[in-house]
Amino acid sequence: MKLGKIFGVGIYVNPFFLALIALFFVAGVLDRGLVAFLVVLIHEFAHSAAAKRMGVQVTEVELLPFGGVTRMGSEPALDPLKELYIAAAGPFSNMLMVLAAIACKNYGIWDDNIGPFFLQSNILIAAFNILPALPLDGGRVYRAFLAGSMGLKKATYRAASFGQAWAVLIVAVGLAGLLLGFTGLDVMITGMFLYYAATREKLAAPYLFMKHVIRKKDELNEDGILPAETLVALEHVSLGDITRLFVPRRFHLVIVLDSQLKFKGVATEDIIVERLMAEGLDLPIGKVIDD
């Protein structure tokens, strides 16, 4: 459901989020539901503001039962620095709101009913989101750090696997809490939702990787210069194995050696990608040089 636009960004509310607000209403705590709505909205708009500052187009924000998602015109993960900056903005905004709430309390601008809930909501959202688990903000920061050393695809798998592991732990804690009476179903549902989202991130990793590989030539044309990364490969190594080592924001040169470790030639990243798209992942790098 579309609510409208703020600063040119479409605001959508997931039906399940509306159901959650309805539950707040039935429980007689609609004011808390509206506070939760505000906290999530500010968190997502912090991502939007950071994205726009980094030159990334923001198309819409959707509010979900356990957070929100900011959809962008391009994929920030293709540039680890942008992803890190955009991802960190969300939890940072929550911490700013925590400080603002504490200041308001100290100066007597405080409501004993709403104030503590506002404070707790921001602390919980910030703490949850800094977990190094995709698709949470902390997982995106973690992937951004890993991508420079192990490549985007492997970094995505690692961060998404962390997401699945955290999800299983949250479900287990939620189940134990439900049995012992100190938590409700919400903790288990959050864990299941996180597991589903982390699995989707893992499944999308190959497509994200291909986007990253295909876009590199455009990046070089746009920027005019990129740092170079040199790899050395034997002629029988497949293009798939080579491109898995490609990292964002680097242009790769592959030195190809024969079985006697003698120099055969150098293949540039754009040629490798072109041949990969035309002839598949299993093509040996030696064929690129021979042709």
Side-chain angles (χ1 to χ4, degrees):
M1 174 183 172
K2 186 173 182 178
L3 291 184
K5 284 190 173 185
I6 300 178
F7 302 121
V9 177
I11 308 299
Y12 292 81
V13 178
N14 186 279
F16 291 106
F17 188 88
L18 290 176
L20 186 63
I21 295 294
L23 286 176
F24 276 109
F25 175 76
V26 171
V29 287
L30 180 60
D31 50 356
R32 294 193 173 198
L34 295 177
V35 167
F37 173 88
L38 178 65
V39 169
V40 172
L41 188 63
I42 292 173
H43 178 101
E44 292 306 320
F45 262 89
H47 289 310
S48 298
K52 287 188 174 184
R53 184 172 178 80
M54 297 299 287
V56 178
Q57 181 188 10
V58 178
T59 56
E60 63 185 50
V61 168
E62 183 180 8
L63 303 183
L64 303 168
F66 303 104
V69 59
T70 300
R71 296 191 175 92
M72 303 175 197
S74 59
E75 178 54 67
L78 301 180
D79 186 332
L81 182 61
K82 287 183 180 180
E83 176 160 62
L84 192 155
Y85 185 84
I86 294 168
F92 182 71
S93 71
N94 293 118
M95 296 316 299
L96 286 180
M97 285 190 280
V98 166
L99 293 175
I102 293 172
C104 287
K105 185 175 183 181
N106 289 337
Y107 282 95
I109 311 169
W110 189 254
D111 184 291
D112 288 332
N113 180 37
I114 296 299
F117 182 75
F118 177 79
L119 190 62
Q120 291 164 10
S121 296
N122 277 290
I123 292 172
L124 283 173
I125 288 177
F128 183 61
N129 270 283
I130 62 174
L131 293 176
L134 271 178
L136 302 178
D137 296 332
R140 298 190 184 282
V141 171
Y142 181 51
R143 175 171 65 183
F145 277 115
L146 292 178
S149 59
M150 65 173 58
L152 186 58
K153 184 178 179 181
K154 196 171 180 181
T156 300
Y157 275 127
R158 176 79 63 85
S161 295
F162 266 58
Q164 290 174 320
W166 275 105
V168 170
L169 179 61
I170 290 169
V171 169
V173 170
L175 179 59
L178 194 63
L179 294 174
L180 296 174
F182 63 84
T183 64
L185 272 173
D186 55 333
V187 176
M188 284 185 64
I189 293 172
T190 300
M192 289 187 284
F193 182 81
L194 178 59
Y195 190 89
Y196 167 75
T199 302
R200 285 191 63 182
E201 291 280 352
K202 187 178 278 191
L203 292 173
Y207 304 102
L208 181 61
F209 172 71
M210 288 309 298
K211 269 188 183 179
H212 148 64
V213 170
I214 293 168
R215 177 166 159 67
K216 192 67 68 66
K217 192 173 181 179
D218 294 335
E219 287 181 352
L220 185 56
N221 286 329
E222 288 170 9
D223 297 348
I225 185 171
L226 282 176
E229 188 87 12
T230 304
L231 301 173
V232 180
L234 295 177
E235 60 182 339
H236 69 270
V237 177
S238 71
L239 299 188
D241 288 336
I242 289 170
T243 54
R244 271 192 278 273
L245 298 176
F246 286 1
V247 297
R249 303 298 300 169
R250 297 285 190 278
F251 192 82
H252 297 81
L253 305 172
V254 181
I255 299 171
V256 183
L257 307 179
D258 65 16
S259 58
Q260 304 301 314
L261 302 187
K262 291 183 178 178
F263 177 79
K264 283 198 67 170
V266 176
T268 59
E269 182 170 334
D270 60 324
I271 297 297
I272 292 172
V273 171
E274 187 178 304
R275 295 295 295 274
L276 181 148
M277 298 300 294
E279 300 177 60
L281 295 168
D282 295 328
L283 183 72
I285 186 67
K287 290 284 290 179
V288 175
I289 300 297
D290 293 338
D291 296 346

